[in-house]
Amino acid sequence: MGYEYETIKIQQEDDGVTWLILNRPDKRNAMSPQLHADCNDALYNLATDAKCRVLIVTGAGEAFCAGQDLRLFFRATDNAPRERFEAAENSHHWRWMRLSKFPKPTIAMVNGFCFGGAFTQLIACDLAVAADDAVFGLSEVNWGIIPGGIVSWNVVNAMNSRDAMFYAITGDPFDGKKAAQMGLVNYSVPKNELTEETLKLARKLAAKNPATVRYTKEGVRAVRGMSEAQAADYLAAKSDALRFRDSEKGREEAMKQFLDEKKFRPGLGNYVRDDAK
Ligand code: COA
């Protein structure tokens, strides 16, 4: 199935990898109200599209995303409360409500400029890979605004608090290598290897038991805000739920292959999945 949008491109590979590409390269993929509406719709489609097993979010051209579109998101809606409200709702919805809770693994591939509001989708993704020379910046302080939406909340959760404060109040840019060193992205690679390295990671995830990956990522996210007792109870319930959810019965199958058939050891490779189940 093909998806057509005005401001984003959806590309689907045969191996379960789907690309969501912000596609306003002449505006460095700054996020307009239309882009927010397009992304929102696309994520509803892809969440329920069996062809999408892993989602990579990136940008066309030189930028990952230059943040909110200062002309179309901010200035054009200053005196249009309904349009501003809708744009802000869509903006929050796709980047946080949809993306951070997406039922399949998500990877942000930071190919270039990543500024301001773009940190929300960066951090919403489960994993992130950057080009060594990608340029990140919490530039809001230069615009007389704060890292709003939920950018401040996100950066202080994803970064060491000293780093988050330093980059928020100075607005200093930093590169992909520095982002990796601070743990804001998983790793950085030379620009000419970025697509291949990101695809390698995506394919690794696409090859895993989807229900188990989903419940694992939901569990890891959810327990952060819980006490130890709540986490133990939640994870026990989540484990039980997975037994029902996992149509390929990965637990039983992996044990059979390890204990009885002796054909799988986790340190030496995945258990042999039967995709047809
Ligand atoms: N909102 C609106 N338009 C933007 C934009 C944004 N956030 N970021 C870039 N653009 C537009 C520019 O206005 C320019 O439009 P024009 O061709 O109509 O003049 C076009 O994108 C290209 O930008 P330009 O600055 O010429 O490209 P560059 O490659 O030299 O620099 C950036 C790229 C990202 C470093 C620079 O555009 C920039 O600093 N943008 C602002 C980023 C930011 O602070 N975002 C957070 C907003 S809260």
Side-chain angles (χ1 to χ4, degrees):
M1 185 181 10
Y3 299 108
E4 296 291 331
Y5 292 102
E6 197 179 316
T7 62
I8 62 175
K9 242 188 326 194
I10 305 296
Q11 262 170 232
Q12 297 197 282
E13 316 275 349
D14 291 333
D15 53 12
V17 177
T18 294
W19 296 84
L20 190 164
I21 305 168
L22 304 192
N23 193 28
R24 302 182 69 222
D26 53 327
K27 302 294 180 196
R28 305 299 180 260
N29 304 318
M31 296 181 287
S32 62
Q34 183 63 46
L35 182 140
H36 291 310
D38 287 350
C39 286
N40 226 347
D41 188 73
L43 290 183
Y44 276 107
N45 284 327
L46 297 175
T48 49
D49 180 345
K51 210 166 152 19
C52 170
R53 294 177 66 148
V54 176
L55 183 70
I56 304 175
V57 178
T58 192
E62 295 164 49
F64 174 69
C65 172
Q68 297 289 8
D69 189 305
L70 293 151
R71 187 188 304 277
L72 298 176
F73 183 87
F74 286 120
R75 197 151 73 177
T77 63
D78 274 347
N79 298 309
R82 194 215 171 272
E83 285 75 7
R84 166 68 63 84
F85 183 73
E86 184 175 347
E89 287 280 300
N90 279 337
S91 164
H92 181 65
H93 228 79
W94 82 264
R95 293 179 307 150
W96 197 251
M97 304 309 286
R98 298 273 72 76
L99 194 55
S100 76
K101 296 172 182 63
F102 199 68
K104 302 106 186 259
T106 52
I107 305 172
M109 185 179 95
V110 186
N111 50 310
F113 301 114
C114 175
F115 282 99
F119 277 62
T120 294
Q121 64 261 36
L122 166 70
I123 293 168
C125 286
D126 301 317
L127 302 172
V129 184
D132 287 339
D133 63 356
V135 181
F136 296 76
L138 290 168
S139 54
E140 286 89 341
V141 69
N142 298 295
W143 297 108
I145 59 177
I146 62 170
I150 54 166
V151 172
S152 294
W153 181 79
N154 261 326
V155 293
V156 84
N157 277 324
M159 297 167 83
N160 163 314
S161 62
R162 288 277 181 221
D163 291 329
M165 187 63 86
F166 181 89
Y167 289 106
I169 63 177
T170 64
D172 282 1
F174 53 93
D175 67 12
K177 285 186 177 169
K178 180 74 185 170
Q181 190 194 322
M182 294 189 291
L184 178 62
V185 301
N186 293 91
Y187 44 88
S188 74
V189 296
K191 177 82 133 267
N192 61 356
E193 296 167 22
L194 181 65
T195 301
E196 205 36 56
E197 285 301 319
T198 309
L199 272 173
K200 209 190 285 176
L201 176 60
R203 288 179 181 136
K204 181 193 290 198
L205 295 168
K208 296 202 178 289
N209 175 332
T212 308
V213 171
R214 175 178 178 174
Y215 273 44
T216 301
K217 63 173 249 181
E218 289 175 354
V220 169
R221 277 184 189 273
V223 294
R224 283 197 85 181
M226 293 182 192
S227 69
E228 174 268 324
Q230 288 168 327
D233 191 46
Y234 165 89
L235 291 171
K238 195 86 178 161
S239 303
D240 290 346
L242 177 58
R243 302 282 295 276
F244 288 97
R245 244 316 172 152
D246 180 10
S247 59
E248 68 180 52
K249 302 288 171 221
R251 185 179 185 276
E252 290 76 7
E253 185 58 33
M255 287 204 198
K256 183 171 70 141
Q257 290 182 16
F258 181 76
L259 296 172
D260 307 328
E261 301 168 355
K262 301 207 176 294
K263 67 179 188 191
F264 142 72
R265 272 168 288 165
L268 304 177
N270 294 330
Y271 83 92
V272 184
R273 294 183 56 231
D274 177 357
D275 254 347
K277 282 185 200 160

